[in-house]
Amino acid sequence: MDNNTYTDKELAIFNGVIDLINRGANIYSVTVSEIAKASGVGKGTIYEYFSSKEEVISKAILYKMRKETDYAIARVESKTNFKDKYYEALKIIVENFDNKFSTINFLLSTGRLDKLYAYLVDEEELIPCYISRIESLIDRLLLMGYEEEIISIEESQYYKRMVIISSIAAFLNYVNNREGYCDIDTEKAMDYCYKMVVKALN
Amino acid sequence: MDNNTYTDKELAIFNGVIDLINRGANIYSVTVSEIAKASGVGKGTIYEYFSSKEEVISKAILYKMRKETDYAIARVESKTNFKDKYYEALKIIVENFDNKFSTINFLLSTGRLDKLYAYLVDEEELIPCYISRIESLIDRLLLMGYEEEIISIEESQYYKRMVIISSIAAFLNYVNNREGYCDIDTEKAMDYCYKMVVKALN
Amino acid sequence: MDNNTYTDKELAIFNGVIDLINRGANIYSVTVSEIAKASGVGKGTIYEYFSSKEEVISKAILYKMRKETDYAIARVESKTNFKDKYYEALKIIVENFDNKFSTINFLLSTGRLDKLYAYLVDEEELIPCYISRIESLIDRLLLMGYEEEIISIEESQYYKRMVIISSIAAFLNYVNNREGYCDIDTEKAMDYCYKMVVKALN
Amino acid sequence: MDNNTYTDKELAIFNGVIDLINRGANIYSVTVSEIAKASGVGKGTIYEYFSSKEEVISKAILYKMRKETDYAIARVESKTNFKDKYYEALKIIVENFDNKFSTINFLLSTGRLDKLYAYLVDEEELIPCYISRIESLIDRLLLMGYEEEIISIEESQYYKRMVIISSIAAFLNYVNNREGYCDIDTEKAMDYCYKMVVKALN
DNA sequence: TATGAATGAGACTTCATTCAT
DNA sequence: TATGAATGAAGTCTCATTCAT
């Protein structure tokens, strides 16, 4: 699936790409020269480790997604009750809101990188793995909600997951358009999402 | 806001761009030659009507969004009760599901074209206009739900809109990942969305 | 040699080209559209009267040269003594000083349009005709100087013409670089030229 | 003023441009492809060293002018008396007669590159430096003529320089139009120029 | 006759990739 | 192994010329 280990150079290059993306670069218009400079390696070196620009960017994005997924799961798991876990997820979104290629943004919108990024073909088998890890996280969250008797509904797992995901999508929409919602602060937006979740699962 | 009228050539070019997008072309890597061929006009002709490739693509996308918005509103308005209106909206999404730049996909995910498409700077003032028309549609939908006593909740308009939008985002997520949900057919997915809406607004 | 008569449209086009040149346009980068606009005719009309852009510009320059030659000869001939004639020639230069393609500038520098303007091949037979008219003018000037006993030298006609031409070249150089000669005003520069002519022909 | 040192590639490109000009190419219509081919480098390489075609041509012309100025000064200075120096200058002109952009041709006619070549904006500060070096050369020539008692006139330095320059312009005109002066050979034309100088400065 | 909308050849320029060092 | 100078394919855009009106 992924050997998980990268050489120092590969990591330097990934971090260069990620830096560029975080600084607003567009993955379609970023150049190899820019990646080389941001990575602190020579242009030729990139081709020692990757066979094309597309491969560099694809693998860097997947690396970024894995890191973000790991991080998000760790943070959510560190909380010990349904509400805290849920709010923690929203907080992560706030912290990454301007991150066009954040895992969450991507998973919720198209759900498929190849639509946004035609390059990513060979690597796509990793995506379902991330999705599945996120789904497990949601399942554990739901279980906790059930144990805490916040969730009482007898419904399919699909429905329950859907409620969580859709509330997160709503929050993402809020964060992406905060300037359009001047009378709703972030705290309030979170509360509304939580309220929807509780009502829809009750 | 927009003079709303275009020459035949401009429309041919817009339709060429829209065709390319619908056929899976990426707006970042599409070339002027491809646009010219898809539009059935000469390469030079494009520059008689637009001053740059960026302008062509930006304006074509905005044109597409306006058309889609008009169409969606007309279809939803043609229905006479809350449930039919809501399902009609979901049906439109199904019909456009592979449409990466559909208005709905875009409005729900980032809400801002400039994030996905850095080109669009000057034209962006049109976007809030589309958002506002969609919001009005949602408001009318909600009002009908209230009159039909499907909605009883006493909550802010923000919350009520959020519920609708988030349910649509959930449905979009379903449609975008249908192959991952083999045990849920489209009808069922719609029903789940509707259920969530009713519960969250009750 | 030249049928001397042009249609109104041809004249309009010539004057458009001349206007553009006088306003600083470069004959190599001027476009047919600019010529059409400056001439007040449609772009297609230009091709009704000329077979290519090169032909338009070539013929316009030759037309300009003929007009300038006619004008210069008439003005010089209107004066009745050697000194007045000579100064009149210099005055014409002052009035046209910023005119990169003035006949005089051209005749004195390279003497051949095809060096400056590779287009002009077919039309070049007209140039010797202008040169010859200018030479006749110089010869009449010299004769008058001889009659007025300003010129006494017994030398070849070549030498005498050369003196006049070189003094004019010197004046042209002055006019073209006036800002570099802040302590020499135009009057003084003319006087120096005249002095040189008189000394060299005495 | 100019760092005076260029990389091998830059020199190859300059020489490519100079070759093209010497072979009759027009600086306005020459293409980057032609320059690349004439220079023996790839088209892309040109843009590694210069930021635009205009810059390439401008800098190449200035490089050519500096080389020509150096060469002309060295040759004139190598002669030890007034007459030899003067004739040496004329000989250099003969050797470069078909050189449309020779420094001398340019300095004498318009005196300003920007009139002939609108590109040259930033580099123009070098031109006065060449002019001033030529003027110094002329001043030394005149001083020698004075010491040899060929020049006796009491006149301004402007007048004396003007006589030299105008005689050179006359010779340039001869060389440029040799085919029109079939009864005057080059030797004779030089003698006439020298005669004019001596008479005008006596 | 007069026009200008339409066009495609060809210009300049960028940049992914190679390869000699 | 690491590099960046060199390159040419391919991109955007211009404009001389055509031709239907």
Side-chain angles (χ1 to χ4, degrees):
Chain A
M1 188 164 291
D2 192 359
N3 69 3
N4 253 14
T5 62
Y6 295 106
T7 65
D8 286 354
K9 288 278 180 215
E10 283 169 320
L11 289 175
I13 293 165
F14 286 162
N15 287 320
V17 174
I18 292 167
D19 265 16
L20 286 170
I21 291 173
N22 288 344
R23 268 145 50 197
N26 181 289
I27 50 165
Y28 285 103
S29 42
V30 90
T31 68
V32 174
S33 289
E34 286 165 349
I35 293 172
K37 180 181 271 186
S39 308
V41 304
K43 224 188 318 179
T45 305
I46 289 173
Y47 286 88
E48 295 292 327
Y49 293 92
F50 304 94
S51 64
S52 71
K53 185 178 86 157
E54 301 194 357
E55 198 197 29
V56 175
I57 296 176
S58 295
K59 291 205 165 138
I61 289 176
L62 287 166
Y63 173 76
K64 174 172 148 72
M65 287 176 72
R66 198 181 70 204
K67 280 209 313 183
E68 283 177 3
T69 305
D70 289 348
Y71 175 75
I73 289 174
R75 276 195 44 187
V76 171
E77 294 289 32
S78 74
K79 298 298 169 179
T80 51
N81 64 65
F82 180 79
K83 187 170 183 181
D84 284 355
K85 276 180 193 283
Y86 183 81
Y87 273 76
E88 194 69 10
L90 301 190
K91 279 177 198 155
I92 294 167
I93 289 171
V94 173
E95 291 162 18
N96 288 281
F97 87 100
D98 57 357
N99 196 328
K100 194 162 49 192
F101 269 86
S102 77
T103 310
I104 194 69
N105 223 338
F106 153 71
L107 290 178
L108 285 176
S109 60
T110 69
R112 290 205 331 244
L113 256 193
D114 65 342
K115 282 199 176 167
L116 272 181
Y117 190 52
Y119 292 176
L120 264 188
V121 174
D122 300 340
E123 325 294 341
E124 214 185 340
E125 77 278 2
L126 289 171
I127 307 288
C129 151
Y130 300 145
I131 291 180
S132 143
R133 291 180 63 204
I134 297 283
E135 281 184 345
S136 299
L137 181 70
I138 291 172
D139 286 351
R140 288 194 296 281
L141 174 76
L142 288 165
L143 188 61
M144 184 162 284
Y146 188 77
E147 287 165 359
E148 293 176 21
E149 297 184 354
I150 294 165
I151 296 169
S152 62
I153 197 171
E154 289 298 327
E155 255 303 349
S156 69
Q157 196 66 8
Y158 172 84
Y159 175 78
K160 287 188 265 186
R161 285 177 185 163
M162 184 192 81
V163 169
I164 300 294
I165 289 173
S166 89
S167 75
I168 288 174
F171 186 68
L172 203 53
N173 182 52
Y174 165 78
V175 168
N176 276 324
N177 297 284
R178 241 185 303 201
E179 67 273 26
Y181 298 119
C182 40
D183 49 346
I184 308 287
D185 66 15
T186 304
E187 201 64 37
K188 193 92 190 132
M190 288 178 170
D191 293 342
Y192 277 134
C193 285
Y194 187 69
K195 168 182 286 205
M196 184 180 78
V197 166
V198 170
K199 285 185 69 70
L201 294 177
N202 230 319
Chain B
M1 189 166 290
D2 193 359
N3 71 1
N4 254 14
T5 63
Y6 294 105
T7 65
D8 286 354
K9 287 280 175 213
E10 283 169 322
L11 290 175
I13 294 166
F14 286 163
N15 287 321
V17 174
I18 291 166
D19 266 15
L20 286 169
I21 292 174
N22 288 345
R23 268 147 48 200
N26 181 288
I27 50 164
Y28 283 105
S29 40
V30 89
T31 69
V32 174
S33 291
E34 286 164 350
I35 294 172
K37 182 177 276 185
S39 309
V41 304
K43 222 187 325 175
T45 305
I46 290 173
Y47 289 90
E48 293 289 325
Y49 294 92
F50 305 95
S51 61
S52 70
K53 184 179 84 153
E54 301 195 355
E55 198 196 33
V56 176
I57 296 177
S58 294
K59 292 208 165 138
I61 289 176
L62 287 166
Y63 173 76
K64 177 172 145 70
M65 288 176 72
R66 198 182 68 203
K67 278 208 316 184
E68 284 178 2
T69 305
D70 289 348
Y71 175 75
I73 288 174
R75 275 194 46 186
V76 171
E77 294 288 31
S78 75
K79 299 297 169 179
T80 51
N81 64 66
F82 179 79
K83 188 170 183 179
D84 284 355
K85 275 180 192 286
Y86 183 81
Y87 273 75
E88 193 70 11
L90 300 190
K91 280 176 199 157
I92 295 167
I93 289 171
V94 172
E95 292 162 17
N96 288 280
F97 86 101
D98 57 357
N99 197 326
K100 192 163 51 195
F101 268 87
S102 76
T103 311
I104 194 70
N105 222 339
F106 153 71
L107 291 177
L108 285 176
S109 60
T110 68
R112 294 217 318 257
L113 260 193
D114 65 342
K115 283 198 175 166
L116 275 180
Y117 190 52
Y119 291 177
L120 264 189
V121 174
D122 299 340
E123 324 293 341
E124 214 186 340
E125 77 278 3
L126 289 171
I127 307 289
C129 150
Y130 300 144
I131 291 181
S132 141
R133 291 180 63 202
I134 297 284
E135 280 185 346
S136 299
L137 182 70
I138 292 173
D139 287 350
R140 288 193 298 281
L141 174 76
L142 288 165
L143 189 60
M144 184 161 284
Y146 188 77
E147 287 164 1
E148 294 176 20
E149 295 183 358
I150 295 165
I151 297 170
S152 62
I153 198 172
E154 290 298 330
E155 252 305 346
S156 70
Q157 197 65 8
Y158 172 83
Y159 175 79
K160 288 187 267 185
R161 285 176 185 165
M162 184 192 80
V163 169
I164 301 293
I165 288 172
S166 88
S167 75
I168 288 174
F171 187 69
L172 203 52
N173 183 51
Y174 165 78
V175 167
N176 276 324
N177 295 285
R178 241 186 302 200
E179 68 271 26
Y181 299 118
C182 40
D183 49 345
I184 308 286
D185 66 15
T186 305
E187 201 63 36
K188 192 92 191 135
M190 288 179 171
D191 293 341
Y192 277 135
C193 285
Y194 187 70
K195 169 181 284 203
M196 186 179 78
V197 166
V198 171
K199 284 185 70 69
L201 293 178
N202 230 316
Chain C
M1 189 163 290
D2 193 358
N3 69 3
N4 252 14
T5 61
Y6 295 107
T7 64
D8 285 354
K9 287 278 180 216
E10 282 169 321
L11 289 174
I13 293 166
F14 286 163
N15 287 320
V17 174
I18 292 167
D19 266 15
L20 286 170
I21 291 174
N22 289 344
R23 267 146 48 197
N26 181 288
I27 50 165
Y28 284 103
S29 41
V30 89
T31 67
V32 174
S33 289
E34 286 165 349
I35 294 172
K37 180 181 272 185
S39 308
V41 305
K43 222 188 322 178
T45 306
I46 290 173
Y47 286 87
E48 295 291 327
Y49 293 93
F50 304 95
S51 64
S52 72
K53 184 179 87 156
E54 300 195 357
E55 199 197 26
V56 175
I57 296 176
S58 294
K59 292 207 163 136
I61 288 176
L62 288 166
Y63 174 76
K64 174 173 148 70
M65 289 177 70
R66 198 182 72 204
K67 278 209 317 184
E68 283 177 2
T69 305
D70 289 348
Y71 175 75
I73 289 173
R75 277 198 39 189
V76 171
E77 294 289 33
S78 74
K79 297 297 169 180
T80 52
N81 64 65
F82 179 78
K83 188 170 183 180
D84 284 356
K85 276 179 192 287
Y86 183 81
Y87 273 75
E88 193 70 9
L90 301 190
K91 279 177 198 155
I92 294 167
I93 288 170
V94 172
E95 292 163 17
N96 287 281
F97 88 100
D98 57 358
N99 196 326
K100 194 161 50 192
F101 269 86
S102 77
T103 311
I104 193 69
N105 222 339
F106 153 71
L107 290 179
L108 285 175
S109 61
T110 69
R112 293 211 323 253
L113 258 193
D114 65 343
K115 282 198 175 167
L116 273 181
Y117 189 52
Y119 291 177
L120 264 189
V121 174
D122 301 339
E123 324 294 340
E124 214 184 340
E125 77 276 2
L126 289 170
I127 308 288
C129 150
Y130 300 146
I131 291 181
S132 143
R133 292 180 63 202
I134 297 284
E135 280 184 347
S136 298
L137 182 70
I138 292 173
D139 287 350
R140 290 193 297 280
L141 174 75
L142 288 165
L143 189 62
M144 184 162 283
Y146 188 77
E147 288 165 359
E148 292 177 20
E149 296 182 355
I150 294 164
I151 296 170
S152 62
I153 197 170
E154 290 299 327
E155 256 302 351
S156 71
Q157 197 65 10
Y158 173 83
Y159 175 79
K160 287 188 270 188
R161 285 176 186 164
M162 184 192 80
V163 169
I164 300 294
I165 288 172
S166 89
S167 74
I168 288 174
F171 187 68
L172 203 52
N173 183 52
Y174 165 78
V175 167
N176 275 325
N177 296 285
R178 242 187 301 202
E179 67 273 26
Y181 299 118
C182 40
D183 49 344
I184 308 288
D185 66 15
T186 304
E187 201 63 38
K188 193 91 188 134
M190 287 177 170
D191 293 343
Y192 276 134
C193 285
Y194 187 69
K195 168 182 285 205
M196 184 179 79
V197 165
V198 170
K199 284 185 70 69
L201 293 178
N202 228 318
Chain D
M1 189 166 290
D2 193 359
N3 71 1
N4 255 16
T5 62
Y6 294 106
T7 65
D8 286 354
K9 287 280 174 212
E10 282 169 322
L11 290 175
I13 294 165
F14 285 163
N15 287 321
V17 174
I18 292 167
D19 267 15
L20 286 170
I21 291 174
N22 289 345
R23 268 146 49 199
N26 181 288
I27 49 164
Y28 283 105
S29 40
V30 89
T31 69
V32 174
S33 290
E34 286 165 350
I35 294 172
K37 182 178 278 185
S39 308
V41 304
K43 223 187 323 175
T45 306
I46 290 173
Y47 288 90
E48 292 290 326
Y49 293 91
F50 303 95
S51 62
S52 70
K53 184 179 83 153
E54 301 195 354
E55 198 197 32
V56 175
I57 296 176
S58 295
K59 292 209 164 136
I61 290 176
L62 288 166
Y63 173 75
K64 177 172 145 68
M65 289 177 71
R66 197 182 70 205
K67 277 209 316 185
E68 283 178 2
T69 304
D70 290 348
Y71 176 74
I73 289 173
R75 275 193 47 184
V76 170
E77 294 288 33
S78 74
K79 299 296 168 180
T80 52
N81 64 65
F82 180 78
K83 187 169 182 180
D84 284 356
K85 274 181 193 284
Y86 183 79
Y87 274 75
E88 194 69 10
L90 300 190
K91 280 176 198 155
I92 295 166
I93 289 171
V94 172
E95 293 162 17
N96 287 280
F97 86 100
D98 58 356
N99 197 327
K100 192 162 52 194
F101 268 87
S102 76
T103 310
I104 194 68
N105 222 340
F106 153 71
L107 290 177
L108 285 176
S109 60
T110 69
R112 292 211 326 249
L113 258 193
D114 65 342
K115 283 199 176 165
L116 275 181
Y117 190 52
Y119 291 177
L120 265 190
V121 174
D122 300 339
E123 325 294 340
E124 214 187 339
E125 77 279 3
L126 289 171
I127 307 289
C129 151
Y130 300 145
I131 291 181
S132 140
R133 290 180 63 204
I134 297 284
E135 280 185 346
S136 299
L137 182 70
I138 292 173
D139 287 350
R140 289 193 296 281
L141 175 76
L142 288 165
L143 189 61
M144 183 161 284
Y146 188 77
E147 285 164 1
E148 293 176 20
E149 295 183 357
I150 294 164
I151 296 169
S152 62
I153 197 171
E154 291 298 329
E155 252 306 346
S156 70
Q157 197 65 9
Y158 172 84
Y159 175 77
K160 288 187 267 186
R161 284 176 186 165
M162 182 193 80
V163 169
I164 301 293
I165 289 171
S166 89
S167 75
I168 288 174
F171 186 69
L172 203 52
N173 183 52
Y174 165 77
V175 167
N176 276 325
N177 296 285
R178 241 185 304 199
E179 67 273 25
Y181 299 119
C182 39
D183 49 345
I184 308 287
D185 67 14
T186 305
E187 201 63 37
K188 193 90 191 133
M190 287 178 171
D191 293 342
Y192 278 134
C193 285
Y194 186 69
K195 168 182 284 206
M196 185 180 80
V197 166
V198 171
K199 284 185 71 69
L201 293 177
N202 229 318

